[in-house]
């Protein structure tokens, strides 16, 4: 049985800069009954189109992107520092090569098409609203291209509505 309670997104007490940029998050989606996740430290939260939203960026080459693109639902799972080792592992190993969830022993359940990590402290259950692939000609600060994309694939930016915020 889950220990989560649902709160509205505006009741969130933690600093999202800390949650995303310092503690990291797992972006998770399900396809054909299987969940996959990747670690991310880029993204944000705010309000768009009068909805509570998060935005995330996923490189074209990431296996998790296939899962995100195959569904309308995804989750952003936040753990805090106690799962740092597991989150680092999720960021280094591809789900194409092994079952990262099983390897770490983390527990995940799929609820209404969205994977929820039971060990997380906070989970945003989200619905995709917008996706656009970054284009080099759209960068105003061209130094970003050299620093983050020099020969590497671009990101797709997703804006997702936070439909539920779950916390312990």
């Amino acid at each position: 049985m889950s220990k989560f309670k649902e709160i509205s997104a505006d009741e969130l007490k933690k600093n999202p800069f800390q949650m995303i940029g310092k503690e990291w998050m797992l972006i998770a989606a399900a396809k054909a009954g299987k969940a996959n996740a990747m670690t991310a430290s880029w993204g944000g939260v705010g309000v768009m189109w009068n909805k509570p939203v998060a935005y995330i960026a996923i490189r074209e080459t990431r296996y998790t992107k296939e899962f995100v693109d195959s569904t309308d639902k995804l989750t952003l799972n936040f753990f805090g520092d106690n799962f740092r080792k597991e989150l680092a592992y999720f960021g280094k190993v591809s789900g194409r090569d092994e079952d990262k969830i099983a390897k770490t022993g983390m527990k995940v359940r799929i609820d209404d098409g969205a994977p929820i990590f039971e060990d997380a402290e906070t989970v945003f259950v989200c619905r995709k609203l917008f996706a656009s692939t970054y284009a080099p000609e759209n960068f105003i600060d061209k130094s970003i291209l050299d620093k983050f994309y020099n020969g590497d694939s671009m990101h797709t930016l997703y804006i997702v509505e936070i439909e539920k915020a779950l916390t312990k």
Side-chain angles (χ1 to χ4, degrees):
M1 173 119 178
S2 176
K3 297 177 183 175
F4 288 110
K5 71 175 186 172
E6 186 173 342
I7 61 170
S8 66
D10 62 357
E11 290 178 276
L12 186 66
K13 301 289 186 224
K14 285 192 77 175
N15 179 328
F17 291 97
Q18 183 72 27
M19 292 170 69
I20 297 168
K22 303 284 190 240
E23 296 173 358
W24 308 337
M25 64 181 161
L26 282 183
I27 300 170
K31 178 172 77 169
K34 179 184 175 193
N36 192 299
M38 62 174 266
T39 302
S41 63
W42 291 1
V45 296
V47 177
M48 180 68 73
W49 306 302
N50 298 326
K51 299 174 185 290
V53 299
Y55 66 89
I56 56 171
I58 303 175
R59 281 199 195 270
E60 294 291 321
T61 54
R62 294 299 298 255
Y63 185 54
T64 302
K65 186 176 184 315
E66 294 177 25
F67 284 71
V68 169
D69 288 344
S70 74
T71 184
D72 289 335
K73 299 269 188 164
L74 60 96
T75 58
L76 306 179
N77 299 267
F78 302 93
F79 296 84
D81 284 333
N82 52 330
F83 279 88
R84 191 61 142 191
K85 181 179 172 186
E86 290 85 351
L87 292 176
Y89 176 76
F90 270 87
K92 291 178 186 164
V93 176
S94 173
R96 284 186 188 100
D97 301 326
E98 61 186 66
D99 185 343
K100 297 186 286 187
I101 297 168
K103 183 96 175 194
T104 60
M106 297 177 92
K107 296 172 187 66
V108 65
R109 65 180 162 89
I110 298 175
D111 185 11
D112 192 27
I116 296 172
F117 280 77
E118 291 292 338
D119 296 313
E121 293 174 3
T122 303
V123 178
F124 295 160
V125 179
C126 303
R127 182 176 62 88
K128 291 187 311 188
L129 300 174
F130 174 87
S132 180
T133 302
Y134 293 175
E137 62 271 15
N138 292 339
F139 282 82
I140 296 165
D141 181 346
K142 300 299 184 193
S143 70
I144 294 170
L145 288 169
D146 293 336
K147 186 173 182 178
F148 296 103
Y149 297 100
N150 193 8
D152 207 346
S153 66
M154 289 289 168
H155 284 91
T156 297
L157 172 70
Y158 297 89
I159 299 175
V160 296
E161 179 180 7
I162 302 170
E163 293 188 317
K164 290 183 196 175
L166 307 174
T167 189
K168 291 184 179 169

